[in-house]
Amino acid sequence: PILTAINDKGLKVKTAKAGTSISLGSGIKTEIIAPNNDKYEDLNNYSAVIKLTYGSTAFLFMGDAEEKSEKEILNSGFNVKADVLKVGHHGSETSTSKEFLNAVSPDYAIISAGKDNKYNHPHDTTLEKLNKAGVKVYRTDKLGTIIMTSDGENISVK
């Protein structure tokens, strides 16, 4: 359905690739930092991973990227330091490696997972890693919609 709508409007689909920047306006830097490969066994690792920087604040959106993608991001030398980490793959145990979490060093993490989902997301191991790192976790399965805003210096949560 979405590809049909894109085609009907005469638009073209561009594949997300690491190193691509997206213009969103003055003072906002948006960079795709994954995928870093074009051949994955697990489709989750094709997820576009986006770092958005506004002023002195940064957000890292992991999509469904798993540890393989995280390792490639780190090996590619991208600056992943961010105030907010949208945790990969709904907080699955296949994402948010300790090495990656240490590199990001977020103050906040958002985990998007459905309430009482059949996959038991987020997994206890991921929550434990975030807790040990002193990260404040917000979960959609517990809180519903989470809105974070930045004025370029401070982040607020609703």
Side-chain angles (χ1 to χ4, degrees):
I2 192 164
L3 292 177
T4 302
I6 290 169
N7 189 48
D8 289 348
K9 292 185 181 240
L11 302 173
K12 291 186 178 186
V13 174
K14 289 188 177 182
T15 303
K17 292 184 181 183
T20 304
S21 294
I22 302 168
S23 177
L24 294 179
S26 179
I28 302 172
K29 180 181 177 187
T30 308
E31 183 177 22
I32 297 175
I33 61 173
N36 284 280
N37 201 329
D38 59 3
K39 290 188 172 47
Y40 292 108
E41 288 182 28
D42 191 320
L43 293 177
N44 290 330
N45 289 313
Y46 286 104
S47 287
V49 175
I50 300 170
K51 183 173 181 187
L52 183 140
T53 305
Y54 176 52
S56 63
T57 62
F59 297 75
L60 188 59
F61 301 94
M62 295 300 298
D64 278 342
E66 297 182 341
E67 285 188 35
K68 180 174 183 65
S69 182
E70 293 173 356
K71 286 179 184 173
E72 290 175 350
I73 291 166
L74 294 177
N75 290 338
S76 296
F78 288 106
N79 174 0
V80 295
K81 175 75 178 98
D83 302 289
V84 179
L85 172 65
K86 187 285 185 182
V87 174
H89 199 198
H90 314 284
S92 166
E93 61 192 352
T94 62
S95 66
T96 318
S97 67
K98 185 176 178 182
E99 179 183 30
F100 191 75
L101 183 58
N102 288 341
V104 177
S105 187
D107 295 319
Y108 308 101
I110 296 178
I111 299 175
S112 177
K115 186 175 183 177
D116 300 322
N117 65 81
K118 68 180 181 180
Y119 302 104
N120 294 317
H121 291 155
H123 286 142
D124 289 341
T125 54
T126 303
L127 293 171
E128 193 173 300
K129 284 184 242 179
L130 292 163
N131 186 43
K132 283 184 179 177
V135 179
K136 173 71 175 158
V137 177
Y138 295 91
R139 298 170 48 175
T140 61
D141 61 324
K142 301 279 187 192
L143 301 171
T145 301
I146 299 161
I147 300 171
M148 296 189 116
T149 57
S150 170
D151 62 7
E153 293 180 23
N154 300 297
I155 295 170
S156 61
V157 183
K158 293 182 185 178

